[in-house]
Amino acid sequence: MPLNRIEVKYMKNEIAKMITQYKNGLFRGLAFAMITALPYGCNEAEKITDPLSFVLASQNEAIRKVMDSVATYELQIRYTQIDRRNDRILFTDYDFQVNDQNYFYPASTVKFPTAVLALERLNQTDSLQKETLFYVEGDSVETTFAENVSRIFAVSDNDANNRLLEFLGQDAINDALRRKGITPVRISHRLGYHTDDVTTTPLIIYLNDSTTGTTAPTINKVPKALSLNSITKGVGFYSDGELIREPFDFSLKNYYPIEAQHQVLKRVIFPQNFTPDQRFDLSDIQREFLLKTMHTLPKEVGYDPETYYDSYCKFFMYGDTKEAIPDHIKIYNKVGFAYGTLTDCAYISDTKNNIDFLITATILVNKDGVFNDDVYEYDEIGIPFLAALGRELYAYELNRKK
Protein backbone atom coordinates (compact mmCIF):
# COMPACT_ATOMS: atom_id res chain seq x y z
CA MET A 1 0.00 0.00 0.00
CA PRO A 2 1.22 3.54 -0.67
CA LEU A 3 2.05 5.63 2.35
CA ASN A 4 -0.17 8.58 3.16
CA ARG A 5 1.33 12.00 3.92
CA ILE A 6 1.17 11.55 7.68
CA GLU A 7 3.03 8.26 7.44
CA VAL A 8 5.60 9.82 5.14
CA LYS A 9 6.28 12.68 7.57
CA TYR A 10 6.45 10.25 10.49
CA MET A 11 9.00 8.05 8.74
CA LYS A 12 11.10 11.02 7.70
CA ASN A 13 11.15 12.31 11.29
CA GLU A 14 12.10 8.89 12.61
CA ILE A 15 14.95 8.61 10.13
CA ALA A 16 16.19 12.07 11.10
CA LYS A 17 16.27 10.88 14.73
CA MET A 18 18.20 7.75 13.75
CA ILE A 19 20.76 9.79 11.81
CA THR A 20 21.23 12.00 14.89
CA GLN A 21 21.72 8.89 17.03
CA TYR A 22 24.19 7.60 14.48
CA LYS A 23 26.20 10.81 14.65
CA ASN A 24 26.18 10.61 18.44
CA GLY A 25 27.83 7.20 18.29
CA LEU A 26 24.83 4.87 18.56
CA PHE A 27 24.06 1.95 16.24
CA ARG A 28 27.43 2.13 14.46
CA GLY A 29 26.84 -1.23 12.83
CA LEU A 30 23.76 0.14 11.11
CA ALA A 31 25.45 3.31 9.86
CA PHE A 32 24.78 3.06 6.17
CA ALA A 33 21.38 1.44 6.64
CA MET A 34 20.23 4.49 8.56
CA ILE A 35 21.71 6.96 6.13
CA THR A 36 19.90 5.31 3.23
CA ALA A 37 16.67 4.39 5.02
CA LEU A 38 13.63 5.00 2.86
CA PRO A 39 11.52 8.06 3.71
CA TYR A 40 8.60 6.94 1.52
CA GLY A 41 7.36 3.97 -0.43
CA CYS A 42 7.76 3.26 -4.14
CA ASN A 43 4.20 4.30 -4.98
CA GLU A 44 4.69 7.55 -3.12
CA ALA A 45 7.87 8.28 -5.08
CA GLU A 46 6.04 7.74 -8.36
CA LYS A 47 3.49 10.46 -7.49
CA ILE A 48 6.11 13.17 -6.94
CA THR A 49 6.27 15.54 -9.90
CA ASP A 50 9.04 17.78 -8.54
CA PRO A 51 11.38 15.68 -6.37
CA LEU A 52 13.64 18.61 -5.54
CA SER A 53 10.77 20.66 -4.12
CA PHE A 54 9.56 17.59 -2.26
CA VAL A 55 12.97 17.02 -0.67
CA LEU A 56 13.35 20.69 0.27
CA ALA A 57 10.00 20.46 2.09
CA SER A 58 11.49 17.76 4.33
CA GLN A 59 11.15 18.02 8.09
CA ASN A 60 14.80 17.03 8.43
CA GLU A 61 16.20 19.61 10.84
CA ALA A 62 19.26 20.42 8.74
CA ILE A 63 17.11 21.13 5.69
CA ARG A 64 14.31 22.90 7.55
CA LYS A 65 16.76 25.25 9.27
CA VAL A 66 17.86 26.56 5.87
CA MET A 67 14.48 26.54 4.15
CA ASP A 68 12.83 28.44 7.01
CA SER A 69 15.16 31.39 6.23
CA VAL A 70 16.06 30.53 2.66
CA ALA A 71 16.65 34.12 1.49
CA THR A 72 19.50 34.40 4.00
CA TYR A 73 21.50 31.61 2.39
CA GLU A 74 21.50 32.54 -1.33
CA LEU A 75 20.74 28.88 -2.06
CA GLN A 76 20.92 27.52 -5.61
CA ILE A 77 20.45 23.84 -6.55
CA ARG A 78 20.29 21.83 -9.74
CA TYR A 79 19.40 18.13 -9.48
CA THR A 80 19.41 15.90 -12.57
CA GLN A 81 17.62 12.60 -12.90
CA ILE A 82 19.29 10.09 -15.20
CA ASP A 83 17.26 7.59 -17.21
CA ARG A 84 18.41 5.06 -19.78
CA ARG A 85 16.37 4.06 -22.81
CA ASN A 86 18.15 1.45 -24.93
CA ASP A 87 21.50 3.16 -25.66
CA ARG A 88 20.31 6.66 -24.81
CA ILE A 89 21.05 8.67 -21.66
CA LEU A 90 18.18 11.00 -20.76
CA PHE A 91 18.53 13.96 -18.37
CA THR A 92 15.71 15.65 -16.47
CA ASP A 93 16.83 18.78 -14.63
CA TYR A 94 15.12 20.24 -11.55
CA ASP A 95 16.17 23.67 -10.32
CA PHE A 96 15.81 25.66 -7.15
CA GLN A 97 16.64 29.36 -7.50
CA VAL A 98 19.25 28.70 -10.20
CA ASN A 99 20.05 32.02 -11.85
CA ASP A 100 23.40 32.81 -13.46
CA GLN A 101 22.76 36.51 -12.78
CA ASN A 102 22.84 35.88 -9.01
CA TYR A 103 26.53 35.76 -8.15
CA PHE A 104 28.16 33.37 -5.70
CA TYR A 105 31.88 32.91 -5.13
CA PRO A 106 32.81 29.54 -6.72
CA ALA A 107 35.99 29.01 -4.66
CA SER A 108 37.75 25.73 -5.52
CA THR A 109 35.08 24.45 -7.90
CA VAL A 110 36.99 26.31 -10.65
CA LYS A 111 39.75 23.73 -10.25
CA PHE A 112 37.57 21.17 -12.01
CA PRO A 113 37.64 22.73 -15.51
CA THR A 114 41.29 23.70 -15.03
CA ALA A 115 42.21 20.06 -14.33
CA VAL A 116 40.18 18.77 -17.29
CA LEU A 117 41.57 21.33 -19.72
CA ALA A 118 45.13 20.62 -18.56
CA LEU A 119 44.63 16.98 -19.51
CA GLU A 120 43.14 18.10 -22.82
CA ARG A 121 46.20 20.29 -23.52
CA LEU A 122 48.47 17.31 -22.79
CA ASN A 123 46.46 15.19 -25.21
CA GLN A 124 47.07 17.82 -27.89
CA THR A 125 50.83 18.12 -27.20
CA ASP A 126 52.97 15.24 -28.51
CA SER A 127 55.94 15.89 -26.21
CA LEU A 128 53.95 15.91 -22.94
CA GLN A 129 52.26 13.19 -20.91
CA LYS A 130 50.39 13.32 -17.60
CA GLU A 131 53.46 11.70 -15.97
CA THR A 132 55.82 14.38 -17.33
CA LEU A 133 57.88 16.00 -14.56
CA PHE A 134 58.00 19.80 -14.27
CA TYR A 135 58.32 22.73 -11.88
CA VAL A 136 57.17 26.34 -11.97
CA GLU A 137 59.97 28.82 -12.60
CA GLY A 138 61.12 30.22 -9.26
CA ASP A 139 59.69 27.26 -7.32
CA SER A 140 61.67 24.24 -6.17
CA VAL A 141 58.76 21.76 -6.10
CA GLU A 142 59.05 19.14 -8.83
CA THR A 143 55.81 17.40 -9.69
CA THR A 144 53.84 15.83 -12.53
CA PHE A 145 50.61 16.85 -14.20
CA ALA A 146 48.96 13.67 -12.91
CA GLU A 147 49.99 14.44 -9.31
CA ASN A 148 48.46 17.91 -9.52
CA VAL A 149 45.16 16.65 -10.94
CA SER A 150 45.02 14.04 -8.19
CA ARG A 151 45.68 16.61 -5.45
CA ILE A 152 43.00 18.91 -6.81
CA PHE A 153 40.29 16.31 -6.32
CA ALA A 154 41.62 14.47 -3.25
CA VAL A 155 42.26 17.48 -0.99
CA SER A 156 41.50 20.55 -3.17
CA ASP A 157 45.13 21.67 -3.23
CA ASN A 158 45.50 25.35 -4.23
CA ASP A 159 49.13 25.04 -5.34
CA ALA A 160 48.22 22.15 -7.64
CA ASN A 161 45.55 24.28 -9.28
CA ASN A 162 47.83 27.26 -9.68
CA ARG A 163 50.53 25.20 -11.37
CA LEU A 164 48.01 24.05 -13.97
CA LEU A 165 46.76 27.60 -14.39
CA GLU A 166 50.34 28.70 -15.18
CA PHE A 167 50.40 25.91 -17.78
CA LEU A 168 47.14 27.03 -19.44
CA GLY A 169 46.51 30.70 -18.72
CA GLN A 170 43.19 32.24 -17.77
CA ASP A 171 42.24 33.29 -21.29
CA ALA A 172 42.85 29.81 -22.69
CA ILE A 173 40.62 28.29 -19.99
CA ASN A 174 37.81 30.74 -20.65
CA ASP A 175 38.04 30.44 -24.43
CA ALA A 176 38.12 26.63 -24.37
CA LEU A 177 35.01 26.44 -22.20
CA ARG A 178 33.11 28.89 -24.40
CA ARG A 179 34.01 26.98 -27.57
CA LYS A 180 32.43 23.89 -26.01
CA GLY A 181 29.25 25.80 -25.21
CA ILE A 182 29.98 26.01 -21.48
CA THR A 183 28.74 29.43 -20.43
CA PRO A 184 28.71 31.76 -18.60
CA VAL A 185 32.16 31.54 -17.02
CA ARG A 186 35.11 33.81 -16.19
CA ILE A 187 38.30 32.50 -14.57
CA SER A 188 40.35 35.52 -13.60
CA HIS A 189 42.77 34.67 -10.78
CA ARG A 190 44.81 32.10 -8.93
CA LEU A 191 43.68 30.63 -5.61
CA GLY A 192 45.06 30.92 -2.09
CA TYR A 193 46.82 34.25 -2.45
CA HIS A 194 46.09 37.63 -4.00
CA THR A 195 47.87 38.90 -7.07
CA ASP A 196 46.85 41.16 -9.93
CA ASP A 197 49.46 39.61 -12.24
CA VAL A 198 47.79 38.49 -15.48
CA THR A 199 51.00 37.00 -16.91
CA THR A 200 51.58 33.30 -16.37
CA THR A 201 54.86 32.02 -14.94
CA PRO A 202 56.79 29.64 -17.23
CA LEU A 203 57.03 25.94 -16.46
CA ILE A 204 60.38 24.16 -16.63
CA ILE A 205 59.54 20.78 -18.12
CA TYR A 206 61.74 17.67 -18.13
CA LEU A 207 61.46 16.37 -21.67
CA ASN A 208 63.81 13.49 -20.77
CA ASP A 209 66.51 12.76 -18.20
CA SER A 210 68.90 15.34 -19.63
CA THR A 211 66.75 17.85 -21.50
CA THR A 212 64.36 20.48 -20.24
CA GLY A 213 62.05 22.85 -22.04
CA THR A 214 60.40 26.07 -20.93
CA THR A 215 56.84 27.13 -21.67
CA ALA A 216 56.33 30.66 -22.91
CA PRO A 217 54.52 33.02 -20.52
CA THR A 218 51.13 34.23 -21.69
CA ILE A 219 49.69 37.66 -21.02
CA ASN A 220 46.01 37.36 -20.18
CA LYS A 221 43.28 39.96 -20.38
CA VAL A 222 42.86 42.21 -17.36
CA PRO A 223 39.51 41.14 -15.88
CA LYS A 224 36.63 43.58 -16.14
CA ALA A 225 34.28 44.10 -13.22
CA LEU A 226 31.27 41.79 -13.34
CA SER A 227 27.84 43.40 -13.29
CA LEU A 228 25.64 40.83 -11.56
CA ASN A 229 23.10 40.62 -8.77
CA SER A 230 24.67 40.26 -5.30
CA ILE A 231 28.14 41.02 -6.66
CA THR A 232 28.70 42.96 -3.42
CA LYS A 233 27.83 41.12 -0.25
CA GLY A 234 27.58 41.63 3.48
CA VAL A 235 28.18 44.63 5.70
CA GLY A 236 31.94 44.57 6.05
CA PHE A 237 35.24 42.77 5.48
CA TYR A 238 38.71 42.56 6.93
CA SER A 239 41.68 43.81 4.93
CA ASP A 240 45.21 43.69 6.39
CA GLY A 241 43.70 43.19 9.84
CA GLU A 242 41.40 46.21 9.58
CA LEU A 243 37.61 45.99 9.50
CA ILE A 244 36.22 47.89 6.51
CA ARG A 245 32.56 48.66 7.14
CA GLU A 246 31.22 48.35 3.61
CA PRO A 247 30.04 45.42 1.44
CA PHE A 248 32.68 43.10 0.05
CA ASP A 249 33.15 43.46 -3.73
CA PHE A 250 33.45 40.21 -5.72
CA SER A 251 33.32 41.86 -9.16
CA LEU A 252 36.90 40.98 -10.17
CA LYS A 253 36.81 37.43 -8.85
CA ASN A 254 36.15 34.13 -10.59
CA TYR A 255 32.65 33.53 -11.96
CA TYR A 256 31.51 29.91 -12.43
CA PRO A 257 27.75 29.58 -11.87
CA ILE A 258 25.63 26.45 -11.40
CA GLU A 259 24.76 26.17 -15.08
CA ALA A 260 28.41 26.13 -16.17
CA GLN A 261 29.46 23.72 -13.41
CA HIS A 262 26.72 21.28 -14.36
CA GLN A 263 27.68 21.51 -18.05
CA VAL A 264 31.29 20.57 -17.28
CA LEU A 265 30.21 17.65 -15.11
CA LYS A 266 27.79 16.27 -17.73
CA ARG A 267 30.45 16.40 -20.45
CA VAL A 268 32.98 14.56 -18.30
CA ILE A 269 30.62 11.83 -17.07
CA PHE A 270 28.49 11.42 -20.21
CA PRO A 271 30.55 12.62 -23.21
CA GLN A 272 28.43 10.49 -25.56
CA ASN A 273 25.53 12.89 -25.01
CA PHE A 274 27.43 15.74 -26.66
CA THR A 275 28.71 16.49 -30.12
CA PRO A 276 32.50 16.18 -30.66
CA ASP A 277 32.98 19.96 -30.59
CA GLN A 278 31.19 20.15 -27.22
CA ARG A 279 33.26 17.42 -25.56
CA PHE A 280 36.62 17.58 -23.85
CA ASP A 281 39.33 16.17 -26.09
CA LEU A 282 40.60 13.41 -23.82
CA SER A 283 42.04 10.02 -24.66
CA ASP A 284 40.36 6.97 -23.15
CA ILE A 285 43.29 6.59 -20.75
CA GLN A 286 43.08 10.23 -19.68
CA ARG A 287 39.33 10.07 -19.10
CA GLU A 288 39.69 6.87 -17.08
CA PHE A 289 42.38 8.59 -14.99
CA LEU A 290 40.21 11.69 -14.52
CA LEU A 291 37.16 9.70 -13.41
CA LYS A 292 39.26 7.69 -10.97
CA THR A 293 40.80 10.80 -9.40
CA MET A 294 37.37 12.45 -9.10
CA HIS A 295 36.06 9.72 -6.78
CA THR A 296 39.32 8.67 -5.11
CA LEU A 297 39.37 9.30 -1.37
CA PRO A 298 42.33 11.05 0.32
CA LYS A 299 43.44 7.92 2.19
CA GLU A 300 43.74 6.08 -1.13
CA VAL A 301 46.49 8.44 -2.30
CA GLY A 302 48.47 8.53 0.92
CA TYR A 303 46.88 11.30 3.00
CA ASP A 304 46.38 10.85 6.75
CA PRO A 305 42.77 9.60 7.18
CA GLU A 306 42.50 11.29 10.57
CA THR A 307 43.02 14.71 9.00
CA TYR A 308 41.73 13.96 5.51
CA TYR A 309 38.78 11.66 6.24
CA ASP A 310 36.64 10.19 3.44
CA SER A 311 34.19 13.09 3.30
CA TYR A 312 36.83 15.83 3.50
CA CYS A 313 35.92 16.89 -0.04
CA LYS A 314 32.56 15.09 -0.32
CA PHE A 315 29.77 17.31 1.08
CA PHE A 316 26.72 15.48 -0.27
CA MET A 317 25.46 12.52 1.80
CA TYR A 318 28.59 12.21 3.99
CA GLY A 319 29.81 15.73 4.71
CA ASP A 320 28.54 15.68 8.30
CA THR A 321 30.23 12.42 9.27
CA LYS A 322 33.82 11.16 9.39
CA GLU A 323 32.72 7.56 8.87
CA ALA A 324 34.00 5.60 5.86
CA ILE A 325 32.06 5.88 2.61
CA PRO A 326 30.87 2.42 1.44
CA ASP A 327 32.83 0.93 -1.46
CA HIS A 328 29.77 0.62 -3.70
CA ILE A 329 29.08 4.36 -3.56
CA LYS A 330 31.29 6.57 -5.70
CA ILE A 331 31.04 10.38 -5.62
CA TYR A 332 32.69 12.06 -8.60
CA ASN A 333 32.81 15.68 -7.58
CA LYS A 334 34.55 18.96 -6.89
CA VAL A 335 33.78 21.08 -3.85
CA GLY A 336 34.58 24.68 -3.04
CA PHE A 337 34.51 26.56 0.25
CA ALA A 338 35.63 30.13 0.89
CA TYR A 339 34.16 33.46 1.96
CA GLY A 340 31.34 31.61 3.72
CA THR A 341 30.20 29.91 0.51
CA LEU A 342 30.00 26.12 0.19
CA THR A 343 29.53 24.55 -3.24
CA ASP A 344 29.55 20.96 -4.45
CA CYS A 345 29.17 19.68 -8.00
CA ALA A 346 28.75 15.89 -8.01
CA TYR A 347 27.81 12.77 -9.89
CA ILE A 348 26.74 10.14 -7.33
CA SER A 349 26.71 6.48 -8.32
CA ASP A 350 25.65 3.43 -6.29
CA THR A 351 26.60 0.30 -8.22
CA LYS A 352 24.96 -2.01 -5.68
CA ASN A 353 21.50 -0.46 -5.99
CA ASN A 354 21.79 0.77 -9.59
CA ILE A 355 21.38 4.46 -8.69
CA ASP A 356 23.01 7.50 -10.21
CA PHE A 357 22.20 11.21 -10.35
CA LEU A 358 23.80 14.64 -10.68
CA ILE A 359 23.57 17.42 -8.09
CA THR A 360 25.15 20.87 -7.91
CA ALA A 361 24.37 23.21 -5.03
CA THR A 362 25.73 26.33 -3.38
CA ILE A 363 24.91 27.94 -0.04
CA LEU A 364 26.20 31.07 1.73
CA VAL A 365 26.59 30.80 5.51
CA ASN A 366 27.84 34.13 6.85
CA LYS A 367 25.49 35.19 9.62
CA ASP A 368 27.40 38.29 10.71
CA GLY A 369 27.76 39.56 7.14
CA VAL A 370 31.50 40.15 7.59
CA PHE A 371 33.97 38.56 5.18
CA ASN A 372 37.54 37.47 5.91
CA ASP A 373 36.81 37.13 9.64
CA ASP A 374 36.82 33.32 9.44
CA VAL A 375 33.46 33.25 11.23
CA TYR A 376 31.25 31.19 8.97
CA GLU A 377 28.62 28.54 9.77
CA TYR A 378 30.13 25.78 7.65
CA ASP A 379 29.84 23.00 10.23
CA GLU A 380 26.69 24.26 11.93
CA ILE A 381 24.48 24.90 8.88
CA GLY A 382 26.12 24.59 5.46
CA ILE A 383 27.64 21.10 5.46
CA PRO A 384 24.76 19.49 7.41
CA PHE A 385 22.35 20.93 4.83
CA LEU A 386 24.30 19.61 1.84
CA ALA A 387 24.75 16.19 3.48
CA ALA A 388 21.03 15.93 4.27
CA LEU A 389 20.11 17.12 0.77
CA GLY A 390 22.25 14.37 -0.75
CA ARG A 391 20.76 11.69 1.50
CA GLU A 392 17.18 12.75 0.80
CA LEU A 393 17.75 12.73 -2.97
CA TYR A 394 19.49 9.37 -2.69
CA ALA A 395 16.51 7.97 -0.79
CA TYR A 396 14.16 9.31 -3.45
CA GLU A 397 16.27 7.72 -6.20
CA LEU A 398 16.24 4.42 -4.32
CA ASN A 399 12.47 4.30 -4.76
CA ARG A 400 12.11 5.94 -8.14
CA LYS A 401 10.72 3.79 -10.93
CA LYS A 402 13.05 3.89 -13.91
Side-chain angles (χ1 to χ4, degrees):
M1 291 181 63
L3 299 176
N4 61 41
R5 289 285 177 179
I6 295 176
E7 290 171 323
V8 169
K9 288 184 178 180
Y10 172 77
M11 290 185 69
K12 290 169 78 67
N13 287 335
E14 289 303 301
I15 290 161
K17 292 177 185 176
M18 286 195 293
I19 291 172
T20 298
Q21 291 172 323
Y22 159 62
K23 286 193 267 181
N24 289 337
L26 303 175
F27 310 125
R28 287 292 184 186
L30 299 177
F32 190 67
M34 287 188 293
I35 288 176
T36 60
L38 312 185
Y40 34 77
C42 296
N43 292 335
E44 181 72 21
E46 291 174 25
K47 296 177 183 178
I48 299 169
T49 57
D50 186 344
L52 184 54
S53 294
F54 180 83
V55 162
L56 292 175
S58 167
Q59 291 304 301
N60 181 290
E61 182 180 359
I63 292 178
R64 192 179 70 245
K65 186 181 295 184
V66 170
M67 298 308 295
D68 284 349
S69 304
V70 68
T72 304
Y73 299 106
E74 299 189 5
L75 184 65
Q76 295 188 46
I77 307 169
R78 172 163 293 175
Y79 153 64
T80 300
Q81 287 181 351
I82 299 168
D83 292 289
R84 290 167 173 81
R85 299 289 184 271
N86 299 320
D87 293 331
R88 298 173 61 205
I89 304 291
L90 305 177
F91 299 131
T92 305
D93 294 335
Y94 296 92
D95 285 355
F96 181 79
Q97 298 190 152
V98 172
N99 185 341
D100 59 27
Q101 292 300 298
N102 292 341
Y103 180 84
F104 65 88
Y105 182 65
S108 292
T109 57
V110 299
K111 298 171 185 175
F112 185 10
T114 299
V116 181
L117 289 171
L119 291 173
E120 181 179 77
R121 175 72 65 84
L122 294 176
N123 193 43
Q124 298 168 346
T125 308
D126 292 339
S127 59
L128 300 179
Q129 306 294 327
K130 60 184 174 63
E131 294 82 11
T132 299
L133 190 67
F134 73 92
Y135 64 92
V136 177
E137 188 177 77
D139 190 357
S140 61
V141 176
E142 295 183 350
T143 182
T144 68
F145 294 99
E147 287 172 351
N148 286 286
V149 171
S150 177
R151 290 170 184 167
I152 279 174
F153 290 104
V155 295
S156 199
D157 188 285
N158 284 337
D159 291 336
N161 172 80
N162 295 339
R163 293 183 192 109
L164 298 185
L165 187 141
E166 306 297 352
F167 176 53
L168 295 168
Q170 298 94 302
D171 289 354
I173 294 172
N174 295 327
D175 292 344
L177 294 175
R178 290 192 193 98
R179 286 196 301 270
K180 297 176 193 304
I182 299 169
T183 59
V185 63
R186 198 277 300 275
I187 308 303
S188 60
H189 60 85
R190 299 161 181 83
L191 298 175
Y193 64 94
H194 177 78
T195 176
D196 295 325
D197 190 0
V198 295
T199 303
T200 60
T201 304
L203 304 187
I204 311 302
I205 297 175
Y206 292 89
L207 300 176
N208 54 48
D209 291 342
S210 59
T211 307
T212 61
T214 304
T215 62
T218 60
I219 301 174
N220 298 273
K221 298 183 184 73
V222 176
K224 295 181 180 179
L226 297 167
S227 179
L228 298 167
N229 302 327
S230 303
I231 198 66
T232 59
K233 299 180 186 292
V235 298
F237 62 94
Y238 277 90
S239 178
D240 296 325
E242 179 184 357
L243 176 60
I244 310 299
R245 297 187 180 278
E246 58 185 56
F248 190 58
D249 186 0
F250 287 87
S251 64
L252 295 178
K253 295 195 176 295
N254 291 330
Y255 172 49
Y256 186 40
I258 296 290
E259 171 68 23
Q261 294 196 27
H262 225 65
Q263 288 182 46
V264 170
L265 183 64
K266 282 182 176 178
R267 282 162 172 76
V268 168
I269 304 297
F270 299 104
Q272 67 272 30
N273 268 45
F274 298 89
T275 59
D277 62 314
Q278 294 175 323
R279 300 173 193 164
F280 292 101
D281 182 17
L282 304 178
S283 68
D284 291 341
I285 292 175
Q286 285 179 321
R287 182 169 176 271
E288 182 180 347
F289 165 74
L290 175 62
L291 293 175
K292 183 178 179 181
T293 60
M294 287 177 67
H295 74 70
T296 295
L297 304 175
K299 65 186 178 186
E300 296 169 344
V301 286
Y303 288 95
D304 178 8
E306 292 297 318
T307 302
Y308 298 101
Y309 40 88
D310 282 10
S311 63
Y312 182 80
C313 285
K314 309 288 183 188
F315 294 158
F316 292 128
M317 293 183 67
Y318 299 97
D320 57 357
T321 176
K322 293 185 179 180
E323 293 296 303
I325 296 176
D327 291 339
H328 62 277
I329 291 188
K330 298 288 189 290
I331 301 177
Y332 304 75
N333 77 313
K334 186 69 198 78
V335 301
F337 51 100
Y339 294 119
T341 302
L342 291 162
T343 306
D344 198 348
C345 176
Y347 167 64
I348 298 175
S349 173
D350 177 350
T351 56
K352 179 179 178 181
N353 293 293
N354 195 30
I355 291 170
D356 62 342
F357 61 98
L358 302 162
I359 175 73
T360 304
T362 186
I363 182 172
L364 174 66
V365 285
N366 187 15
K367 185 177 180 180
D368 65 8
V370 177
F371 291 89
N372 284 338
D373 63 353
D374 292 327
V375 180
Y376 306 118
E377 296 73 43
Y378 292 141
D379 295 328
E380 299 85 354
I381 295 175
I383 290 177
F385 172 82
L386 294 175
L389 175 65
R391 286 194 291 264
E392 293 269 353
L393 286 171
Y394 175 91
Y396 169 78
E397 286 283 343
L398 201 57
N399 286 275
R400 185 169 72 87
K401 184 178 179 180
K402 300 184 180 181

